[in-house]
PDB file of all heavy atoms in Angstrom:
ATOM      1  N   SER A1668      84.275  76.457  -3.781  1.00 97.00           N
ATOM      2  CA  SER A1668      84.056  76.238  -2.404  1.00 97.00           C
ATOM      3  C   SER A1668      82.860  75.350  -2.116  1.00 97.00           C
ATOM      4  O   SER A1668      83.002  74.456  -1.217  1.00 97.00           O
ATOM      5  CB  SER A1668      83.843  77.638  -1.608  1.00 97.00           C
ATOM      6  OG  SER A1668      85.034  78.383  -1.743  1.00 97.00           O
ATOM      7  N   PHE A1669      81.800  75.509  -2.813  1.00 98.00           N
ATOM      8  CA  PHE A1669      80.625  74.639  -2.635  1.00 98.00           C
ATOM      9  C   PHE A1669      81.002  73.229  -2.877  1.00 98.00           C
ATOM     10  O   PHE A1669      80.666  72.301  -2.043  1.00 98.00           O
ATOM     11  CB  PHE A1669      79.505  75.092  -3.584  1.00 98.00           C
ATOM     12  CG  PHE A1669      78.301  74.154  -3.664  1.00 98.00           C
ATOM     13  CD1 PHE A1669      77.374  74.196  -2.664  1.00 98.00           C
ATOM     14  CD2 PHE A1669      78.210  73.224  -4.604  1.00 98.00           C
ATOM     15  CE1 PHE A1669      76.225  73.301  -2.619  1.00 98.00           C
ATOM     16  CE2 PHE A1669      77.169  72.396  -4.610  1.00 98.00           C
ATOM     17  CZ  PHE A1669      76.192  72.434  -3.684  1.00 98.00           C
ATOM     18  N   LEU A1670      81.668  72.933  -3.997  1.00 98.00           N
ATOM     19  CA  LEU A1670      82.056  71.545  -4.380  1.00 98.00           C
ATOM     20  C   LEU A1670      82.979  70.958  -3.364  1.00 98.00           C
ATOM     21  O   LEU A1670      82.780  69.814  -2.928  1.00 98.00           O
ATOM     22  CB  LEU A1670      82.605  71.513  -5.736  1.00 98.00           C
ATOM     23  CG  LEU A1670      81.625  71.882  -6.869  1.00 98.00           C
ATOM     24  CD1 LEU A1670      82.457  72.009  -8.159  1.00 98.00           C
ATOM     25  CD2 LEU A1670      80.504  70.795  -7.021  1.00 98.00           C
ATOM     26  N   GLU A1671      83.884  71.685  -2.896  1.00 97.00           N
ATOM     27  CA  GLU A1671      84.932  71.181  -1.961  1.00 97.00           C
ATOM     28  C   GLU A1671      84.307  70.879  -0.582  1.00 97.00           C
ATOM     29  O   GLU A1671      84.503  69.868   0.016  1.00 97.00           O
ATOM     30  CB  GLU A1671      86.105  72.147  -1.771  1.00 97.00           C
ATOM     31  CG  GLU A1671      87.042  72.246  -3.011  1.00 97.00           C
ATOM     32  CD  GLU A1671      88.098  73.227  -2.905  1.00 97.00           C
ATOM     33  OE1 GLU A1671      88.008  74.100  -1.991  1.00 97.00           O
ATOM     34  OE2 GLU A1671      89.005  73.226  -3.718  1.00 97.00           O
ATOM     35  N   MET A1672      83.412  71.866  -0.241  1.00 97.00           N
ATOM     36  CA  MET A1672      82.757  71.602   1.046  1.00 97.00           C
ATOM     37  C   MET A1672      81.773  70.462   1.037  1.00 97.00           C
ATOM     38  O   MET A1672      81.607  69.660   1.995  1.00 97.00           O
ATOM     39  CB  MET A1672      82.020  72.859   1.488  1.00 97.00           C
ATOM     40  CG  MET A1672      83.003  74.028   1.904  1.00 97.00           C
ATOM     41  SD  MET A1672      82.163  75.627   2.196  1.00 97.00           S
ATOM     42  CE  MET A1672      81.138  75.276   3.607  1.00 97.00           C
ATOM     43  N   MET A1673      81.034  70.327  -0.128  1.00 97.00           N
ATOM     44  CA  MET A1673      80.078  69.301  -0.292  1.00 97.00           C
ATOM     45  C   MET A1673      80.713  67.895  -0.330  1.00 97.00           C
ATOM     46  O   MET A1673      80.089  66.964   0.121  1.00 97.00           O
ATOM     47  CB  MET A1673      79.139  69.574  -1.447  1.00 97.00           C
ATOM     48  CG  MET A1673      77.851  68.682  -1.466  1.00 97.00           C
ATOM     49  SD  MET A1673      76.803  68.934  -0.036  1.00 97.00           S
ATOM     50  CE  MET A1673      75.874  70.370  -0.552  1.00 97.00           C
ATOM     51  N   ILE A1674      81.842  67.838  -0.926  1.00 97.00           N
ATOM     52  CA  ILE A1674      82.520  66.570  -0.964  1.00 97.00           C
ATOM     53  C   ILE A1674      82.883  66.081   0.388  1.00 97.00           C
ATOM     54  O   ILE A1674      82.656  64.863   0.759  1.00 97.00           O
ATOM     55  CB  ILE A1674      83.848  66.682  -1.826  1.00 97.00           C
ATOM     56  CG1 ILE A1674      83.525  66.847  -3.354  1.00 97.00           C
ATOM     57  CG2 ILE A1674      84.812  65.505  -1.571  1.00 97.00           C
ATOM     58  CD1 ILE A1674      84.673  67.121  -4.204  1.00 97.00           C
ATOM     59  N   GLY A1675      83.464  67.024   1.247  1.00 96.00           N
ATOM     60  CA  GLY A1675      83.662  66.641   2.628  1.00 96.00           C
ATOM     61  C   GLY A1675      82.429  66.260   3.383  1.00 96.00           C
ATOM     62  O   GLY A1675      82.458  65.276   4.174  1.00 96.00           O
ATOM     63  N   HIS A1676      81.433  66.978   3.118  1.00 97.00           N
ATOM     64  CA  HIS A1676      80.083  66.746   3.714  1.00 97.00           C
ATOM     65  C   HIS A1676      79.567  65.367   3.360  1.00 97.00           C
ATOM     66  O   HIS A1676      79.166  64.553   4.244  1.00 97.00           O
ATOM     67  CB  HIS A1676      79.119  67.839   3.300  1.00 97.00           C
ATOM     68  CG  HIS A1676      77.959  68.095   4.223  1.00 97.00           C
ATOM     69  ND1 HIS A1676      76.779  67.390   4.085  1.00 97.00           N
ATOM     70  CD2 HIS A1676      77.838  68.816   5.373  1.00 97.00           C
ATOM     71  CE1 HIS A1676      75.948  67.776   5.121  1.00 97.00           C
ATOM     72  NE2 HIS A1676      76.531  68.705   5.843  1.00 97.00           N
ATOM     73  N   HIS A1677      79.625  65.061   2.084  1.00 97.00           N
ATOM     74  CA  HIS A1677      79.193  63.808   1.609  1.00 97.00           C
ATOM     75  C   HIS A1677      79.986  62.618   2.160  1.00 97.00           C
ATOM     76  O   HIS A1677      79.446  61.599   2.519  1.00 97.00           O
ATOM     77  CB  HIS A1677      79.344  63.694   0.038  1.00 97.00           C
ATOM     78  CG  HIS A1677      78.074  64.225  -0.626  1.00 97.00           C
ATOM     79  ND1 HIS A1677      77.120  65.155  -0.082  1.00 97.00           N
ATOM     80  CD2 HIS A1677      77.523  63.918  -1.897  1.00 97.00           C
ATOM     81  CE1 HIS A1677      76.186  65.367  -0.953  1.00 97.00           C
ATOM     82  NE2 HIS A1677      76.389  64.674  -1.984  1.00 97.00           N
ATOM     83  N   ARG A1678      81.326  62.786   2.241  1.00 97.00           N
ATOM     84  CA  ARG A1678      82.089  61.699   2.804  1.00 97.00           C
ATOM     85  C   ARG A1678      81.766  61.454   4.295  1.00 97.00           C
ATOM     86  O   ARG A1678      81.777  60.290   4.670  1.00 97.00           O
ATOM     87  CB  ARG A1678      83.618  62.172   2.751  1.00 97.00           C
ATOM     88  CG  ARG A1678      84.194  62.029   1.291  1.00 97.00           C
ATOM     89  CD  ARG A1678      85.640  62.590   1.228  1.00 97.00           C
ATOM     90  NE  ARG A1678      86.170  62.415  -0.147  1.00 97.00           N
ATOM     91  CZ  ARG A1678      87.142  63.022  -0.569  1.00 97.00           C
ATOM     92  NH1 ARG A1678      87.819  63.994   0.093  1.00 97.00           N
ATOM     93  NH2 ARG A1678      87.652  62.795  -1.864  1.00 97.00           N
ATOM     94  N   GLY A1679      81.415  62.530   4.942  1.00 96.00           N
ATOM     95  CA  GLY A1679      81.000  62.327   6.332  1.00 96.00           C
ATOM     96  C   GLY A1679      79.658  61.487   6.407  1.00 96.00           C
ATOM     97  O   GLY A1679      79.526  60.542   7.230  1.00 96.00           O
ATOM     98  N   ALA A1680      78.769  61.801   5.554  1.00 97.00           N
ATOM     99  CA  ALA A1680      77.402  61.126   5.468  1.00 97.00           C
ATOM    100  C   ALA A1680      77.687  59.655   5.108  1.00 97.00           C
ATOM    101  O   ALA A1680      77.048  58.765   5.662  1.00 97.00           O
ATOM    102  CB  ALA A1680      76.535  61.747   4.491  1.00 97.00           C
ATOM    103  N   VAL A1681      78.541  59.364   4.180  1.00 97.00           N
ATOM    104  CA  VAL A1681      78.951  57.985   3.794  1.00 97.00           C
ATOM    105  C   VAL A1681      79.425  57.234   4.981  1.00 97.00           C
ATOM    106  O   VAL A1681      79.033  56.018   5.200  1.00 97.00           O
ATOM    107  CB  VAL A1681      79.908  57.971   2.606  1.00 97.00           C
ATOM    108  CG1 VAL A1681      80.348  56.565   2.383  1.00 97.00           C
ATOM    109  CG2 VAL A1681      79.206  58.498   1.396  1.00 97.00           C
TER     110      VAL A1681
END
Side-chain angles (χ1 to χ4, degrees):
S1668 294
F1669 171 82
L1670 293 171
E1671 290 177 346
M1672 289 172 67
M1673 191 63 81
I1674 286 173
H1676 203 268
H1677 272 26
R1678 285 174 176 162
V1681 169

